[in-house]
Amino acid sequence: MEARLLALGLDNAGKTTLLKCLSGEDITNIVPTQGFVLKSMLRADFKLIFWDISGQRALRPYWRNYFLRIDALIYVVDCVDRRRIIEAGEELMQILEEEKLEKVPLLVFANKQDSVFALPANEVPTRLLQQ
Ligand SMILES: Nc1nc2c(ncn2[C@@H]2O[C@H](COP(=O)(O)OP(=O)(O)O)[C@@H](O)[C@H]2O)c(=O)[nH]1
Ligand SMILES: [Mg+2]
């Protein structure tokens, strides 16, 4: 069995860190992602293929090139960067208008909850939708 998962979110949200954590890699020296990184992990008999796409503004128009044949979308939100949560919400709303993602399950990952400055996870949905 194989699943293709797409990690999206603004730059600096923590997508690469999250995927490295999941695959048990060292997360001390993470550099901003240029373009995209493909990461493959085995979990039991399940092969998970993650696409880790750069979230820099100039590269966001290319997100849609990865929407085909995706089994799940993980949208990573930087809960410390409160100023950009609205921007993160606007980008998410645009993505969700895509026909190709119509039946694709979405996980919103309220990241950086370890920080005392983080917006609590339960407040993230309303803030994301606040435009
Ligand atoms: N405090 C905290 N910092 C994090 C967390 N996840 C990522 N970061 C930091 O956020 C910055 C951006 O992470 P990165 O994975 O490169 O984000 P990406 O641009 O979405 O791939 C890095 O300095 C990470 O160390 C987290 O859960 N908590
Ligand atoms: Mg990255």
Side-chain angles (χ1 to χ4, degrees):
M1 289 280 269
E2 197 176 279
R4 293 157 58 96
L5 304 137
L6 182 62
L8 289 180
L10 303 187
D11 47 298
N12 210 49
K15 303 174 288 296
T16 305
T17 308
L18 173 65
L19 296 188
K20 287 200 172 209
C21 267
L22 286 174
S23 66
E25 285 171 59
D26 177 36
I27 55 162
T28 44
N29 282 310
I30 293 197
V31 292
T33 310
Q34 303 293 332
F36 72 89
V37 177
L38 197 60
K39 189 170 278 298
S40 173
M41 299 170 211
L42 264 182
R43 286 290 178 276
D45 286 335
F46 227 93
K47 185 178 179 191
L48 300 175
I49 303 164
F50 284 93
W51 294 81
D52 174 14
I53 317 281
S54 172
Q56 292 165 34
R57 186 182 282 278
L59 298 176
R60 289 178 212 158
Y62 299 102
W63 282 358
R64 60 181 53 215
N65 297 343
Y66 300 89
F67 291 167
L68 206 62
R69 293 195 291 119
I70 283 301
D71 297 303
L73 173 65
I74 302 170
Y75 195 73
V76 183
V77 178
D78 179 349
C79 295
V80 174
D81 191 355
R82 292 170 179 240
R83 202 174 43 87
R84 290 213 299 166
I85 284 185
I86 297 197
E87 186 184 339
E90 286 167 356
E91 295 289 354
L92 178 61
M93 290 312 124
Q94 275 198 31
I95 294 172
L96 296 182
E97 280 171 18
E98 289 283 338
E99 225 173 283
K100 286 176 201 144
L101 294 178
E102 226 168 37
K103 295 193 173 107
V104 174
L106 166 72
L107 169 75
V108 174
F109 194 88
N111 203 22
K112 310 197 184 181
Q113 290 296 313
D114 56 294
S115 165
V116 289
F117 303 110
L119 180 74
N122 62 350
E123 290 178 33
V124 170
T126 23
R127 286 290 284 280
L128 275 181
L129 296 170
Q130 194 178 76
Q131 308 241 334

